[in-house]
């Protein structure tokens, strides 16, 4: 099973409201707030199915939207180099 982890060389500051993340050393700095920040926090260590459950349980999104939202946000985070997918051992 594949889970999401913070990519190597990514710096993150989470002030509890926003998440500031950047691929170091060149960036850019990405500022996540609201749903984006909630998905970032919930995605770490989770696979897509677990993430969808976390989003529903955290009242981040509706059950019918959770799988799609999880896939869209994590794909954007992976494509931007902030997250990477790791196989469970």
């Amino acid at each position: 099973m594949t889970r999401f982890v913070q990519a190597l060389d990514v710096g993150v500051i989470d002030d509890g409201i926003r998440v500031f993340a950047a691929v170091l050393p060149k960036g850019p700095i990405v500022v996540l707030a609201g749903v984006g920040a909630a998905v970032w926090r919930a995605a770490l260590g989770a696979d897509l199915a677990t993430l969808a459950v976390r989003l529903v349980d955290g009242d981040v999104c509706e059950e019918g939207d959770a799988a799609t939202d999880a896939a869209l946000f994590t794909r954007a985070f992976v494509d931007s180099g902030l997250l990477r997918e790791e196989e469970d051992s």
Side-chain angles (χ1 to χ4, degrees):
M1 185 171 359
T2 300
R3 63 188 180 103
F4 296 100
V5 296
Q6 185 174 312
L8 302 175
D9 298 327
V10 170
V12 176
I13 296 174
D14 185 341
D15 69 5
I17 298 170
R18 297 161 303 232
V19 175
F20 302 86
V23 178
L24 300 174
K26 295 187 179 196
I29 298 172
V30 178
V31 181
L32 305 169
V35 174
V39 173
W40 172 269
R41 293 178 189 115
L44 297 175
D47 59 33
L48 274 175
T50 302
L51 174 56
V53 170
R54 289 179 181 177
L55 296 178
V56 172
D57 289 348
D59 292 326
V60 176
C61 61
E62 298 293 323
E63 188 171 352
D65 299 327
T68 301
D69 289 352
L72 288 173
F73 274 95
T74 54
R75 181 54 34 213
F77 294 156
V78 169
D79 288 350
S80 65
L82 298 175
L83 285 182
R84 64 184 174 87
E85 296 176 83
E86 178 178 274
E87 289 292 325
D88 284 340
S89 45

